[in-house]
Amino acid sequence: MPWSAIDSSPATLALIFLGIILSLSIFADSLAARTRLPRISLLVVVGVGVALVQQLVLDSPGARPLADLGEPLIQVALVMVAFLLGGELTWARLRSTGPLILIVSLSVIAVGALVVGAGLWLLGFPLAVAVSLAAISVATDPAAVSETVHESGDTRLRARLLMGIVAIDDGWGVLAFGLAMALLSWWLSGDGSTALLLAGWELGGAVLLGAAVGLPAAWLTGRLRPGEPTQVEAIALILLLAGLADWLGVSALLAAMVAGTLVANLSRHHSRSFNEIEHIEWPFLVFFFVLSGASVDLARLDDALGMTLAYLVLRLVGRYLGGVLGVRLARERQAELPRDIGLALTPQAGVAMGMALLAAERFPAHGPALIATVVASTVLFEAVGPLLVRRVLR
């Protein structure tokens, strides 16, 4: 068959590319088992390798592999993770660790945002850049943290605390970013009411959507096979949450977290809905981590090198100091917690990138530098973050 007869349509190339990604993940798993390196870090490195080949070797600057198909896959992966994290927030667990989760999470995000914002402003960066990056720094990648904790098999208080914190961290992130954009709009143009309304809808609408899907799901799932939800039911929940959240313009992560919490606490006739999602979750996470690394625009990294280095250092310092303060405030439980627990909350991914795009639209003069900084730092945090999670758990 002549080469010209071979179908090279975007759909065909996308299928081949997805197959290559999953094949490479098998080698990453094998290497991780032999070297004890986190497989998440290896997958991000694979993604950066894809970016190097496409942008430098093939001379396609700014190319984004699977641009049309990759975004839905990433969205589905994040919604799965958020739904599973919501299942961690049962009433029994919240009664025992809820106050601790609130204390440590608020301490980490408050101190971290303050260090990043004040540090960048004192270093001479524009106010819009400093405040935007301070708000973006709040977001944590729940997929990297939860996968590393799950891989470690740790069930101690510190592991349960991390799972609880990342379950609500993106809610804090969306709220902080919305308020920051509103304050900046008010400060720079005198009108922040529109931004504040959008932030309120993104949060409030997500809670309403999560309740609208989670409440009936808690009763309906597990009826076809008594006490045993099927994979079809699990996939239907995830796709509904991801699609409706995008259509309504609300936070898909927060909606999935609310739905997962409701199903976990209100389903009296079964407890297996989360198991079915865990069975199908990993392939989507593989796409997520590889495509996150592959989304780096290498041509723009030089433009924001100083800002990227400052953001990296300030965010790590802020997370560490916030964790130290949170452990001190925990008082009677502080003996069970590591002082550097804030370092386990450094991974960043899709939410941070989404915030960077919104900030770039709001402040186009600083847009390229903001996007380059967040994308470059995201890749580094995704690669190093799982190592820090393991360090904290040890």
Side-chain angles (χ1 to χ4, degrees):
M1 178 184 295
W3 287 105
S4 59
I6 297 178
D7 185 6
S8 59
S9 66
T12 301
L13 295 177
L15 290 175
I16 295 173
F17 197 80
L18 291 177
I20 293 173
I21 289 177
L22 289 178
S23 300
L24 290 174
S25 75
I26 299 173
F27 290 102
D29 280 341
S30 177
L31 184 59
R34 294 174 182 272
T35 62
R36 291 199 164 188
L37 289 172
R39 55 181 177 174
I40 294 172
S41 301
L42 294 174
L43 291 173
V44 174
V45 171
V46 169
V48 175
V50 172
L52 282 169
V53 171
Q54 190 157 42
Q55 297 176 27
L56 299 182
V57 178
L58 301 180
D59 195 23
S60 301
R64 296 182 60 202
L66 298 178
D68 294 330
L69 189 58
E71 291 181 6
L73 290 173
I74 289 175
Q75 182 81 337
V76 170
L78 287 173
V79 169
M80 283 183 176
V81 171
F83 189 84
L84 291 173
L85 289 173
E88 299 288 330
L89 301 178
T90 59
W91 303 132
R93 183 167 296 177
L94 286 174
R95 281 195 297 268
S96 62
T97 61
L100 196 58
I101 290 172
L102 194 63
I103 290 172
V104 177
S105 65
L106 285 176
S107 174
V108 169
I109 65 171
V111 175
L114 181 62
V115 169
V116 171
L120 290 172
W121 184 64
L122 291 174
L123 288 173
F125 292 100
L127 180 64
V129 170
V131 175
S132 297
L133 288 177
I136 292 170
S137 72
V138 173
T140 304
D141 174 24
V145 177
S146 61
E147 173 60 25
T148 306
V149 173
H150 178 73
E151 191 178 347
S152 71
D154 198 331
T155 57
R156 292 173 296 170
L157 175 63
R158 62 186 65 185
R160 301 197 308 272
L161 181 62
L162 283 176
M163 296 293 281
I165 291 175
V166 296
I168 63 172
D169 216 31
D170 280 309
W172 294 130
V174 171
L175 180 60
F177 184 77
L179 291 175
M181 292 299 100
L183 289 174
L184 275 176
S185 298
W186 173 77
W187 181 264
L188 298 176
S189 65
D191 179 22
S193 58
T194 302
L196 193 60
L197 286 173
L198 288 174
W201 168 244
E202 187 169 3
L203 288 171
V207 173
L208 293 174
L209 175 60
V213 174
L215 287 174
W219 186 84
L220 291 172
T221 55
R223 301 290 181 182
L224 291 175
R225 297 179 185 173
E228 186 178 340
T230 64
Q231 281 191 353
V232 173
E233 292 173 334
I235 295 174
L237 282 178
I238 297 303
L239 294 180
L240 277 174
L241 287 166
L244 289 173
D246 185 58
W247 182 50
L248 295 172
V250 301
S251 171
L253 296 183
L254 188 57
M257 188 189 73
V258 171
T261 302
L262 291 172
V263 173
N265 287 282
L266 300 179
S267 296
R268 303 298 182 188
H269 58 290
H270 70 78
S271 59
R272 290 176 51 86
S273 55
F274 302 101
N275 293 349
E276 294 303 322
I277 293 177
E278 289 170 351
H279 292 160
I280 59 174
E281 176 192 27
W282 180 243
F284 289 92
L285 290 179
V286 169
F287 297 139
F288 172 72
F289 292 120
V290 173
L291 293 175
S292 294
S295 66
V296 180
D297 188 351
L298 300 171
R300 290 188 176 272
L301 293 183
D302 291 341
D303 300 340
L305 183 59
M307 188 189 301
T308 302
L309 291 175
Y311 177 69
L312 286 169
V313 173
L314 290 170
R315 188 169 184 268
L316 286 171
V317 171
R319 294 263 142 169
Y320 175 77
L321 294 177
V324 170
L325 177 61
V327 170
R328 284 183 175 273
L329 293 175
R331 295 183 181 177
E332 71 274 5
R333 307 295 294 271
Q334 62 179 295
E336 305 175 63
L337 300 175
R339 294 180 61 198
D340 57 354
I341 193 170
L343 292 177
L345 301 170
T346 55
Q348 282 195 302
V351 176
M353 292 181 184
M355 290 178 178
L357 292 172
L358 292 175
E361 290 178 5
R362 188 69 56 86
F363 309 108
H366 308 295
L370 279 172
I371 293 176
T373 296
V374 173
V375 170
S377 61
T378 292
V379 172
L380 291 173
F381 283 135
E382 281 291 279
V384 177
L387 294 173
L388 294 176
V389 176
R390 284 190 174 186
R391 180 181 183 277
V392 169
L393 291 177
R394 284 199 299 270

